[in-house]
Amino acid sequence: MKTRRLLAGVAGVAALCVALATDAALPVESLVDSVGSDYLVVASVGGAALLLSVPVVLSGRAANLDQTETPDPEWPATAAPAGRELDETRTSLALALPVVGAERRARLRERLRRTAAGAVARSRGCSHRTALTRVEQGEWCSDPVAATFLADGTTLSPRALAGSLRHATHPYDYATRRVARAVLATEREGST
């Protein structure tokens, strides 16, 4: 398409240069004499111009234009909701298995200890080491199930076992929920 336009442009410029250079290139007077009227010569030139303009008009249609499209909008990056990993861990069946789940239970408990110690350190304005000592001694919150669950020792308290039976959940799930509530309450105490 660009080649045709270029050739038409070059031919037009060449014809204009020839017409300006010589008077003999366009014998207008002899044309008027042979046709009989100057209006017919003008009408024939205008008709030819209209006929030659049709390809130009058709080449400018919207179907022949290449337009860019708007790209798809960006979507916000998705992130896992807070606490999803804890929920998946505490509801895992592997956590309930006696031998296989022992390592998972130890990791869960240690992670909860660190989280609780961080909450205690922030809410009470003490060092992390002091807060961790309070958590390990069970002196960090008023909830006896949460305090005992994170205290040194690996057994669950009788209260945690009874509460899990009452709520029909696994003892670790019950104790983990209580720890999460206690950590939240400790954080709220520090923010007021």
Side-chain angles (χ1 to χ4, degrees):
M1 190 72 175
K2 288 185 179 187
T3 314
R4 277 191 264 159
R5 286 185 185 173
L6 181 64
L7 289 175
V10 168
V13 169
L16 183 63
C17 289
V18 168
L20 292 176
T22 63
D23 288 334
L26 295 172
V28 177
E29 290 177 10
S30 61
L31 265 174
V32 170
D33 290 339
S34 66
V35 175
S37 173
D38 58 350
Y39 291 111
L40 287 177
V41 174
V42 172
S44 63
V45 171
L50 278 175
L51 191 63
L52 290 174
S53 69
V54 170
V56 174
V57 169
L58 290 179
S59 70
R61 290 183 306 179
N64 294 336
L65 295 178
D66 293 329
Q67 295 181 1
T68 59
E69 292 182 14
T70 305
D72 292 334
E74 293 182 20
W75 297 100
T78 57
R84 186 179 89 189
E85 188 178 340
L86 175 65
D87 288 341
E88 288 174 357
T89 302
R90 74 175 171 75
T91 58
S92 168
L93 292 177
L95 193 68
L97 297 175
V99 177
V100 177
E103 185 179 327
R104 286 184 183 214
R105 288 190 296 271
R107 280 192 312 231
L108 174 66
R109 209 176 241 182
E110 186 56 38
R111 188 165 171 212
L112 289 172
R113 272 191 194 114
R114 286 193 311 263
T115 303
V120 169
R122 283 187 297 277
S123 70
R124 303 209 174 111
C126 61
S127 70
H128 189 71
R129 185 171 300 279
T130 305
L132 188 59
T133 303
R134 286 183 182 173
V135 170
E136 288 173 348
Q137 292 174 353
E139 302 169 353
W140 67 282
C141 68
S142 60
D143 185 345
V145 172
T148 307
F149 181 67
L150 296 185
D152 277 339
T154 57
T155 59
L156 287 166
S157 68
R159 272 193 170 164
L161 294 172
S164 69
L165 287 175
R166 240 186 350 262
H167 294 288
T169 62
H170 187 271
Y172 271 83
D173 183 28
Y174 177 75
T176 302
R177 285 175 185 247
R178 297 283 294 259
V179 168
R181 283 190 207 121
V183 167
L184 184 62
T186 303
E187 288 280 357
R188 285 183 180 157
E189 285 174 14
S191 65
T192 57

